Amino acid sequence: MSNVSHQDRRVAVVILNWNGRVHLERYLPSVLEHTLQDAEVWVVDNGSTDDSLAWLESNHPEVKTLALGCNWGFAEGYNKALFHVDADVHVLLNSDVRIVSRWVAPVLKVMDERGWSVASPLLVQDANPSLCEHAGAAGGWMDKDGFPFCLGRLFNEVEPVDAWHQQNREVFWASGAALFVRKSAWVEVGGLDGALFAHMEEIDLCWRLQNAGHRIGCVGQVSVQHLGGGTLQNSSPFKTYLNFRNNLIVMVKNRRGAWPLFAFRRMTLDGVAAFRMLSQGQWRQFLAVGKAHGAFYLALPRVLRQRAMLRRLSSPKAELVGWWSQSVIWAHFVQGVNRARDLKLPLSERS
């Protein structure tokens, strides 16, 4: 944990923008209203071809800006952004997040009290704040096959927000839509994996940090509203490709054990999912899964080198909080479980 005092600590909220003037117009005013007393606000432009930067200069000169010149993707874009933004804590914030109350100081307070290196607030839907949001909800978990799921969302089933979601608890991964990370932890593990481009990069970061002995949390008593799908819609074959490719890469990089065995099992489950897509007439999604597997094979030599390096850096005493040793696929699609709280998860006593 950083030794910087609370009074001297610098906090920067960093929004990575790509052709997102519409989102900036809609959501940035709420960010500024509830953030500037506790943090700087930066908009880092990822090679936009719209007039985002000109609009910011004319309408919000209080926002600090940085132009990267081209689209580096979400992961590498943030790596380059945070290299230039000097702060003790960075908050990676999606451009389609609405802030409704003071949020930075309360999240940092819980992080300090619990000793967390990374955290996110509770994510609720912008269109209906009474419902958990897909991209994180009340914190993320991981099952034995590398399928991430959330407290408050199992696959497409989202839950109404209640007191259970509003607890502060330790989790496996925190949402990249509003991700608080201490600079010391970020630097220790080398930031995000730029080769992922986008999707699951925050899960990979949290997994590497947990393996190195860090702790991850969700501050459920603080909520932000997320639109979701601001860059890639759920129906996008490219999004399907990234999710399936990155899921395999992240699991092989970080999971302990015999990687050929769990990778083969996971790829078999991917194949079942792909043929289900084909049976529903989603042939572009079907092809995207096949393309993802091909890209995984091409990336495998690099991924295995990363795996070997990470094994040397990992802590042998690290406790993986938020890891479920059963199958969320079986629980949801076969047993009909629609809520994470009904999975009888082994919630950490440290929370």
Side-chain angles (χ1 to χ4, degrees):
M1 186 184 302
S2 172
N3 292 323
V4 178
S5 69
H6 295 181
Q7 292 77 16
D8 297 331
R9 177 166 56 191
R10 294 188 61 189
V11 183
V13 174
V14 184
I15 299 170
L16 191 65
N17 173 69
W18 181 69
N19 292 332
R21 174 179 165 173
V22 172
H23 290 323
L24 293 174
E25 286 189 71
R26 182 175 179 183
Y27 293 100
L28 184 59
S30 72
V31 176
L32 297 175
E33 178 183 357
H34 299 293
T35 303
L36 288 177
Q37 67 267 48
D38 296 313
E40 299 177 342
V41 175
W42 286 73
V43 172
V44 177
D45 191 73
N46 215 6
S48 294
T49 56
D50 66 3
D51 61 345
S52 298
L53 288 178
W55 179 83
L56 282 168
E57 184 178 355
S58 298
N59 293 273
H60 293 288
E62 70 273 32
V63 174
K64 299 177 183 296
T65 60
L66 172 68
L68 297 180
C70 63
N71 183 8
W72 292 95
F74 186 93
E76 190 61 20
Y78 265 118
N79 285 340
K80 293 186 177 299
L82 270 54
F83 178 80
H84 293 282
V85 177
D86 185 25
D88 302 300
V89 177
H90 290 109
V91 185
L92 284 58
L93 185 69
N94 280 16
S95 61
D96 59 349
V97 172
R98 187 187 309 278
I99 308 299
V100 295
S101 62
R102 191 176 182 186
W103 64 303
V104 171
V107 171
L108 290 176
K109 182 176 183 292
V110 176
M111 289 179 68
D112 291 338
E113 291 171 348
R114 303 293 181 92
W116 296 343
S117 297
V118 174
S120 63
L122 169 66
L123 264 69
V124 300
Q125 296 183 16
D126 187 47
N128 186 351
S130 66
L131 294 177
C132 289
E133 208 278 319
H134 188 276
W141 277 61
M142 182 74 73
D143 87 339
K144 68 175 184 179
D145 295 312
F147 285 102
F149 60 97
C150 304
L151 306 182
R153 189 268 300 172
L154 283 185
F155 297 95
N156 293 323
E157 301 288 338
V158 294
E159 301 175 34
V161 177
D162 60 28
W164 188 79
H165 305 102
Q166 293 168 335
Q167 299 176 52
N168 303 328
R169 53 164 63 91
E170 202 164 347
V171 294
F172 192 92
W173 56 273
S175 173
L179 187 76
F180 287 66
V181 57
R182 300 185 192 275
K183 180 180 179 179
S184 57
W186 176 273
V187 171
E188 179 183 334
V189 298
L192 299 174
D193 183 348
L196 297 177
F197 189 78
H199 293 287
M200 292 199 67
E201 65 288 320
E202 79 271 37
I203 299 176
D204 174 65
L205 174 69
C206 292
W207 203 336
R208 284 184 280 131
L209 282 168
Q210 279 218 73
N211 281 341
H214 292 264
R215 299 170 63 181
I216 318 297
C218 177
V219 182
Q221 68 188 44
V222 178
S223 65
V224 299
Q225 298 175 195
H226 184 216
L227 175 65
T231 303
L232 289 174
Q233 298 297 319
N234 289 333
S235 59
S236 166
F238 185 50
K239 186 170 186 175
T240 299
Y241 162 78
L242 290 174
N243 278 330
F244 277 81
R245 183 200 65 172
N246 291 355
N247 211 322
L248 284 166
I249 289 174
V250 169
M251 183 170 62
V252 171
K253 273 177 60 178
N254 296 294
R255 181 177 170 181
R256 299 161 185 166
W259 71 264
L261 297 180
F262 57 71
F264 176 78
R265 175 182 166 92
R266 174 55 196 262
M267 295 178 81
T268 301
L269 293 171
D270 286 355
V272 173
F275 278 101
R276 183 172 182 266
M277 295 171 184
L278 187 62
S279 71
Q280 296 172 341
Q282 301 174 7
W283 62 270
R284 295 179 67 195
Q285 308 286 344
F286 170 81
L287 293 175
V289 176
K291 182 181 177 182
H293 281 197
F296 166 70
Y297 282 123
L298 291 175
L300 190 56
R302 171 182 59 81
V303 173
L304 292 179
R305 289 194 297 271
Q306 291 177 308
R307 175 182 174 84
M309 179 190 69
L310 291 170
R311 293 281 72 76
R312 292 193 294 270
L313 298 176
S314 64
S315 169
K317 297 181 180 179
E319 174 192 350
L320 286 185
V321 174
W323 174 267
W324 194 43
S325 60
Q326 300 183 47
S327 169
V328 72
I329 294 286
W330 180 266
H332 179 66
F333 291 102
V334 178
Q335 297 179 325
V337 178
N338 291 324
R339 304 190 309 172
R341 73 184 74 185
D342 297 328
L343 294 174
K344 299 180 180 178
L345 301 173
L347 297 179
S348 171
E349 294 180 358
R350 301 191 310 192
S351 296

